[in-house]
C-alpha cells in the first residue's frame, strides 16, 4: 500500500467521524429544548387554574384530637397544585377564597365543610374509628384537598333555554284567575219518567266568570209528547257551576240550577187547579255535571248531565179523560257551545 492509498483511507475516516460528531451535537442541543417544552406544558396548564386561598378553621374538639400544625402542613402539601393555605382563618372574602371548617362530631367521626366563593357549602363525613391520629390526619387532608379542588373547578355554562311559544295557549290561566263574561247556546233533552214525557229544544245563557265560579241566567224552550199529550215547556232560571278540574284543553265542573217554568198541554181539558185552563206554572231543580273541551281560543264545547226533580206538582186531565200529574224525576242532558270574553287586561279566561 502506497502513500496515496493511505491518505485516501485517512480522509474517509475523518469524514465519517465528522458526521458522527455533528449528529451527536444536534441530539445534545435538541434534547434540552424538548425537555423544557414538556416541563412548560404542565406549568401553562396550571397557570389557567384558579389560584385558591384556603382559610382553615378547626373546632376545639378537633384541635384537641389532632395536631393542627402538622395537619396544616399535610393540607398545604396536598394543595400545592391548587392554591395556598392562609396563615389566618379570617380575612376579606373573594371569588378565589375557600373557607374550610373541620369538626369532630363524634369521637370516631369527622365532619368537613368547604365553601368556595358564593357556591353552596359542601359537607362530608369521615369515619376514623380504630385509626391512629397521623393516619386520620392524612386521610382528612386528602379528603379536604379533593373537596377544595372539586369546588374550585369552573362551572359549566348552562345551556340557554328558549321560551316556548304560547300559540296553543298551553300556559293557561288557573281557574282562580278567571274574570270575564260568557255567552252560550245549547240543545237540551229531558225525560220525565212519571208521565213518560220526552222534551227537547234550544236554550241560551249569559253569565259571569269569577275565579272558579260561573254564574248564569238561562232560558229554554222545550217541546215534547207523552201521557200528557203535546207538551210545551218554557223556563227561565239561574245556574251556578264550580270548576273542579281545569286543563288547557279540557275542564270539568259541578253545579246546580233552579228555574220557574210555564207548562202548556195542547188539547187538555184542564191543567193545574183551574178547570178549562191548558197551561200552568211549575218549578224544577237539578244538579249539573259538565265536561268541556276547547274548540277555539275562547270557545268551549260541552256536554252536561242534569239529574233533578219537578218541584211543583201540576195535575192535568187530557182530552181523552186521562188524569195524572206532572211531577217526580227530571233527567236531562244538554250539549252547549260557550264563548268567553276576559275582563282582565291582556288575558282571556281559559279554564
Amino acid at each position: 500500500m502506497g502513500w496515496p492509498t493511505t491518505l485516501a483511507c485517512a480522509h474517509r475516516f475523518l469524514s465519517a467521524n465528522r458526521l458522527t460528531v455533528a449528529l451527536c451535537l444536534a441530539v445534545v442541543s435538541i434534547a434540552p429544548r424538548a425537555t423544557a417544552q414538556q416541563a412548560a406544558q404542565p406549568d401553562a396548564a396550571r397557570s389557567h387554574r384558579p389560584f385558591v386561598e384556603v382559610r382553615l378553621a378547626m373546632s376545639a374538639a378537633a384541635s384537641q384530637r389532632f395536631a393542627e400544625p402538622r395537619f396544616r402542613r399535610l393540607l398545604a402539601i396536598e394543595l400545592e397544585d391548587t392554591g395556598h393555605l392562609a396563615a389566618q382563618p379570617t380575612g376579606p372574602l373573594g371569588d378565589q377564597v375557600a373557607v374550610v371548617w373541620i369538626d369532630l362530631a363524634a369521637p370516631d367521626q369527622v365532619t368537613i365543610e368547604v365553601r368556595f366563593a358564593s357556591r353552596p357549602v359542601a359537607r362530608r363525613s369521615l369515619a376514623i374509628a380504630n385509626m391512629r391520629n397521623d393516619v386520620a390526619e392524612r386521610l382528612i387532608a386528602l379528603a379536604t384537598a379533593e373537596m377544595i379542588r372539586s369546588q374550585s373547578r369552573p362551572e359549566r355554562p348552562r345551556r340557554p333555554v328558549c321560551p316556548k311559544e304560547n300559540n296553543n295557549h298551553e300556559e293557561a290561566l288557573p281557574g282562580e284567575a278567571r274574570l270575564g263574561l260568557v255567552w252560550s247556546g245549547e240543545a237540551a233533552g229531558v225525560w220525565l219518567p212519571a208521565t213518560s214525557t220526552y222534551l227537547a229544544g234550544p236554550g241560551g245563557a249569559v253569565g259571569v266568570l269569577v275565579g272558579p265560579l260561573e254564574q248564569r241566567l238561562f232560558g229554554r224552550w222545550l217541546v215534547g209528547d207523552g201521557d200528557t199529550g203535546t207538551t210545551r215547556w218554557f223556563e227561565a232560571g239561574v245556574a251556578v257551576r264550580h270548576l273542579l278540574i281545569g286543563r288547557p284543553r279540557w275542564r270539568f265542573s259541578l253545579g246546580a240550577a233552579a228555574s220557574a217554568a210555564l207548562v202548556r198541554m195542547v188539547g187538555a181539558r184542564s191543567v193545574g187547579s183551574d178547570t178549562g185552563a191548558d197551561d200552568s206554572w211549575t218549578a224544577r231543580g237539578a244538579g249539573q255535571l259538565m265536561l268541556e273541551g276547547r274548540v277555539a281560543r275562547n270557545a268551549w264545547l260541552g256536554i252536561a248531565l242534569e239529574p233533578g226533580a219537578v218541584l211543583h206538582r201540576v195535575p192535568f186531565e187530557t182530552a181523552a179523560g186521562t188524569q195524572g200529574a206532572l211531577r217526580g224525576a227530571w233527567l236531562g242532558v244538554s250539549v252547549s257551545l260557550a264563548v268567553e270574553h276576559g275582563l282582565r287586561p291582556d288575558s282571556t279566561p281559559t279554564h
Side-chain angles (χ1 to χ4, degrees):
M1 182 183 301
W3 284 105
T5 304
T6 304
L7 290 175
C9 293
H11 179 71
R12 292 192 194 97
F13 178 76
L14 291 176
S15 299
N17 286 343
R18 286 195 194 99
L19 181 60
T20 304
V21 171
L23 290 175
C24 292
L25 290 175
V27 171
V28 170
S29 62
I30 292 174
R33 295 179 183 177
T35 305
Q37 290 178 356
Q38 293 177 357
Q41 289 178 355
D43 294 338
R46 189 180 299 124
S47 63
H48 292 289
R49 298 177 183 175
F51 189 75
V52 182
E53 179 181 348
V54 181
R55 296 172 185 165
L56 172 67
M58 302 177 67
S59 66
S63 299
Q64 292 178 0
R65 173 72 181 271
F66 308 113
E68 185 172 348
R70 181 172 58 188
F71 179 77
R72 293 178 67 89
R73 286 195 301 271
L74 293 173
L75 183 58
I77 294 172
E78 297 297 332
L79 293 174
E80 184 177 1
D81 61 341
T82 305
H84 75 281
L85 190 62
Q88 299 295 330
T90 59
L93 300 178
D95 294 337
Q96 303 299 329
V97 175
V99 180
V100 179
W101 172 256
I102 297 178
D103 184 24
L104 196 64
D108 57 351
Q109 186 176 8
V110 173
T111 301
I112 306 171
E113 296 184 359
V114 176
R115 181 170 188 174
F116 176 75
S118 60
R119 298 186 184 181
V121 178
R123 294 181 177 85
R124 184 176 178 181
S125 296
L126 297 177
I128 57 172
N130 302 322
M131 285 188 186
R132 298 200 313 266
N133 286 348
D134 57 342
V135 177
E137 289 170 359
R138 183 171 293 276
L139 177 63
I140 298 169
L142 288 170
T144 304
E146 180 60 31
M147 292 174 67
I148 294 172
R149 280 191 289 269
S150 177
Q151 283 264 7
S152 61
R153 290 192 184 102
E155 292 183 339
R156 294 182 179 178
R158 296 183 179 180
R159 182 178 300 175
V161 179
C162 297
K164 295 182 180 179
E165 295 184 359
N166 202 20
N167 295 333
N168 295 327
H169 301 279
E170 293 298 329
E171 300 295 334
L173 293 175
E176 289 72 9
R178 296 193 308 175
L179 179 62
L181 303 177
V182 58
W183 298 268
S184 66
E186 65 177 354
V190 179
W191 164 244
L192 301 173
T195 56
S196 300
T197 300
Y198 294 94
L199 300 174
V206 60
V208 179
L209 303 172
V210 181
L213 290 179
E214 180 179 338
Q215 307 169 54
R216 300 191 186 195
L217 298 176
F218 69 91
R220 284 177 177 174
W221 173 255
L222 307 176
V223 179
D225 199 359
D227 296 343
T228 58
T230 301
T231 303
R232 297 172 182 172
W233 178 294
F234 174 75
E235 69 175 4
V238 296
V240 178
R241 286 205 299 265
H242 189 280
L243 180 67
L244 296 181
I245 302 174
R247 296 291 182 267
R249 292 297 177 187
W250 65 276
R251 62 190 183 186
F252 177 75
S253 56
L254 181 65
S259 64
L262 177 65
V263 181
R264 172 168 290 185
M265 300 178 186
V266 179
R269 291 182 180 179
S270 65
V271 177
S273 57
D274 297 333
T275 303
D278 62 352
D279 57 19
S280 181
W281 72 275
T282 185
R284 74 169 181 92
Q288 288 186 338
L289 294 87
M290 174 166 277
L291 180 65
E292 296 174 283
R294 185 196 295 275
V295 293
R297 176 184 174 89
N298 303 328
W300 296 80
L301 182 65
I303 182 170
L305 300 179
E306 301 180 359
V310 176
L311 302 179
H312 178 70
R313 182 177 180 272
V314 180
F316 64 88
E317 183 179 353
T318 65
T322 303
Q323 296 183 350
L326 190 64
R327 57 183 174 82
W330 170 286
L331 303 177
V333 62
S334 65
V335 177
S336 63
L337 179 64
V339 178
E340 300 176 355
H341 174 70
L343 296 181
R344 296 183 185 277
D346 302 326
S347 68
T348 300
T350 55
H351 278 179

